[in-house]
């Protein structure tokens, strides 16, 4: 049975170790890596809140779950009730869903923990109900289909097959799995309850084999997987350029977003767009270039230059150091005249000595 419109649940699959984002995720679980001054998870919760009937989000966790629970608690400040389901061991995408949804009886929205999008979730749910589907999957187009697993549909949006990283002569579509689903819990009995199981390789093919109603919602708006340093940096640039609309860059004009408690000395150069968080100090002669993000309590010394980089909280950039197109974790120290550039990613508490070049 398709669920009623009351009390719908969402499951957010956030149990991975974030290995593609290491070393940033060694001490910070991926759901709470900062996007400007907010955890990434908050942007996903903001999207889910746009569906009034979703009254609870179940967080399926495995890696450092207490760090996430310390920030969000029961979800009161986030505007949604949160429940934490901590896998005893990694169970794969389908196994995690069954573990999190074991007691659910109504339709459930499932979100991968890497995905940032502006999709209309209400429209996806409406299609699922209209088609009386057992499962609905969101698809999104990509420029290079050969790098992904593709999903083929027929003219009525029924799923035909999944193609894992096809050869050029096998490409018949440009749409990939966007990591957003609406599922019926009565299909979960085919997922083993005590072993890893893949939604892409095992669960979805079972729907096709059994000729169950399995439909696609194709979304051609903003969608990104933030799971690599390159994409993590791109998200910030997209928000500063208003390609994705969220705080703190919600106005029409791009500019420098500087917290009231930041101290910018006379002679410092601030180039828009950029973000400077609470209690940052930027000394005279220092330069914060375009597309830079400076976390709270950072200290940027005289004639230091930061350009196109993301610097997490409590980091110090010493005199005449250069940080360009890099990501720095928390509590880092960049020595005098050091150069960190070219996509370098430094973990928390990294120390780069004077005059070093990376």
């Amino acid at each position: 049975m398709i669920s009623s419109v009351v009390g719908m649940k969402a499951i957010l699959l956030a149990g991975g170790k974030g290995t593609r984002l290491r070393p940033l995720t060694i001490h910070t679980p991926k759901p709470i890596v900062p996007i400007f001054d907010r955890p990434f998870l908050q942007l996903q919760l903001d999207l889910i809140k746009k569906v009034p009937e979703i009254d609870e989000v179940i967080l399926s966790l495995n890696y450092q779950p207490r760090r996430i629970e310390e920030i969000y608690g029961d979800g009161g400040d986030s505007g949604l009730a949160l429940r934490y389901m901590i896998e005893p061991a990694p169970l794969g995408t389908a196994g995690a869903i069954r573990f999190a949804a074991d007691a659910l009886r109504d339709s459930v929205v499932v979100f991968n923990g890497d995905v940032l999008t502006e999709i209309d979730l209400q429209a996806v749910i409406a299609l699922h109900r209209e088609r009386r589907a057992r499962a609905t999957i969101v698809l999104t187009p990509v420029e290079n289909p050969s790098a992904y697993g593709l999903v083929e549909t027929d003219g009525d949006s029924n799923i035909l097959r999944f193609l894992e990283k096809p050869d050029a002569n096998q490409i018949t579509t440009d749409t990939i799995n966007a990591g957003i689903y609406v599922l019926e819990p009565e299909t979960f009995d085919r997922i083993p309850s005590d072993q890893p199981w893949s939604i892409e390789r095992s669960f979805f093919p079972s729907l096709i084999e059994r000729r169950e109603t399995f439909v696609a919602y194709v979304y051609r708006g903003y969608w990104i997987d933030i799971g690599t340093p390159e994409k993590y940096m791109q998200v910030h640039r997209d928000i500063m350029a208003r390609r994705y609309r969220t705080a703190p860059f919600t106005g029409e004009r791009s500019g420098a977003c500087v917290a009231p408690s930041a101290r910018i000395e006379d002679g410092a150069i601030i180039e828009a767009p950029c973000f400077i968080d609470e209690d940052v100090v930027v000394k005279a002669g220092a330069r914060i270039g375009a597309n830079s993000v400076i976390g709270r309590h950072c200290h940027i010394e005289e004639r230091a230059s930061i350009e196109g980089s993301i610097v997490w909280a409590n980091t110090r950039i010493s005199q005449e150091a250069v940080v360009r197109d890099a990501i720095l974790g928390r509590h880092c120290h960049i020595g005098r005249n050091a150069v960190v550039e070219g996509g370098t990613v430094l973990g928390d508490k990294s120390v780069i000595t004077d005059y070093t070049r990376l």
Side-chain angles (χ1 to χ4, degrees):
M1 288 291 292
I2 305 299
S3 72
S4 66
V5 297
V6 178
M8 196 173 190
K9 312 300 181 188
I11 297 173
L12 210 154
L13 302 176
K17 294 183 178 180
T19 53
R20 294 179 298 161
L21 272 176
R22 285 179 179 168
L24 298 172
T25 49
I26 291 175
H27 303 293
T28 304
K30 184 170 53 181
I32 56 173
V33 297
I35 304 294
F36 298 103
D37 56 348
R38 297 192 296 162
F40 172 59
L41 174 60
Q42 187 59 54
L43 276 64
Q44 293 182 309
L45 294 177
D46 287 347
L47 180 68
I48 293 170
K49 280 192 293 187
K50 293 180 180 180
V51 182
E53 66 212 69
I54 296 178
D55 62 1
E56 183 179 50
V57 176
I58 302 167
L59 297 178
S60 176
L61 306 175
N62 176 259
Y63 180 66
Q64 298 186 16
R66 299 304 173 208
R67 292 287 311 281
I68 300 168
E69 195 167 359
E70 284 169 5
I71 292 175
Y72 278 95
D74 63 3
D77 293 338
S78 72
L80 280 166
L82 300 182
R83 187 181 354 149
Y84 301 86
M85 298 294 290
I86 301 170
E87 302 170 47
L91 294 172
T93 45
I97 291 169
R98 170 151 190 180
F99 180 75
D102 204 34
L104 300 186
R105 297 294 176 264
D106 292 330
S107 305
V108 60
V109 176
V110 178
F111 231 89
N112 280 3
D114 297 328
V115 170
L116 182 63
T117 179
E118 293 179 311
I119 194 169
D120 182 350
L121 285 178
Q122 193 72 70
V124 181
I125 295 166
L127 173 67
H128 181 81
R129 290 173 175 152
E130 176 188 330
R131 294 290 301 273
R132 299 188 64 81
R134 303 277 274 177
T136 298
I137 179 175
V138 175
L139 306 181
T140 192
V142 292
E143 291 184 7
N144 179 18
S146 62
Y148 297 87
L150 303 182
V151 186
E152 274 189 359
T153 62
D154 65 16
D156 293 322
S157 298
N158 297 301
I159 302 294
L160 295 177
R161 64 172 177 158
F162 289 75
L163 293 168
E164 283 297 321
K165 295 187 178 179
D167 296 330
N169 61 355
Q170 294 179 300
I171 295 174
T172 58
T173 181
D174 65 349
T175 51
I176 67 167
N177 177 359
I180 304 167
Y181 323 113
V182 184
L183 306 175
E184 293 304 312
E186 62 259 34
T187 63
F188 297 164
D189 60 359
R190 69 197 64 177
I191 304 171
S193 59
D194 57 353
Q195 65 186 74
W197 206 253
S198 167
I199 195 169
E200 301 87 356
R201 295 182 178 86
S202 300
F203 177 77
F204 287 151
S206 77
L207 297 169
I208 298 170
E209 290 164 8
R210 300 183 191 198
R211 299 182 179 277
E212 295 175 286
T213 306
F214 181 19
V215 301
Y217 181 102
V218 178
Y219 172 68
R220 299 188 179 275
Y222 187 90
W223 179 92
I224 194 169
D225 172 347
I226 73 145
T228 66
E230 296 78 14
K231 297 296 187 183
Y232 175 70
M233 185 174 282
Q234 183 183 329
V235 163
H236 287 83
R237 296 185 179 190
D238 287 347
I239 292 171
M240 284 188 274
R242 274 64 170 183
R243 288 187 287 268
Y244 179 92
R245 297 267 178 171
T246 190
F249 290 87
T250 52
E252 292 301 319
R253 298 176 58 188
S254 295
C257 183
V258 181
S261 63
R263 182 157 61 88
I264 313 298
E265 290 191 354
D266 292 343
I269 300 168
I270 308 297
E271 299 177 357
C274 68
F275 175 79
I276 300 175
D277 207 347
E278 301 287 346
D279 300 311
V280 169
V281 175
V282 182
K283 303 291 281 186
R287 173 175 168 266
I288 308 299
N291 293 311
S292 294
V293 177
I294 313 299
R296 62 180 53 203
H297 300 292
C298 285
H299 195 99
I300 316 301
E301 295 189 359
E302 291 86 350
R303 298 178 301 285
S305 177
I306 300 174
E307 183 174 347
S309 296
I310 299 172
V311 182
W312 285 11
N314 297 290
T315 286
R316 177 177 289 266
I317 313 295
S318 300
Q319 294 177 15
E320 300 185 14
V322 174
V323 179
R324 182 185 300 117
D325 297 324
I327 306 173
L328 312 185
R330 294 181 180 85
H331 296 280
C332 291
H333 180 91
I334 308 301
R336 295 183 61 172
N337 292 92
V339 177
V340 180
E341 60 184 348
T344 298
V345 182
L346 300 180
D348 295 349
K349 300 182 181 179
S350 294
V351 176
I352 306 302
T353 55
D354 297 351
Y355 295 90
T356 297
R357 300 183 68 91
L358 291 179

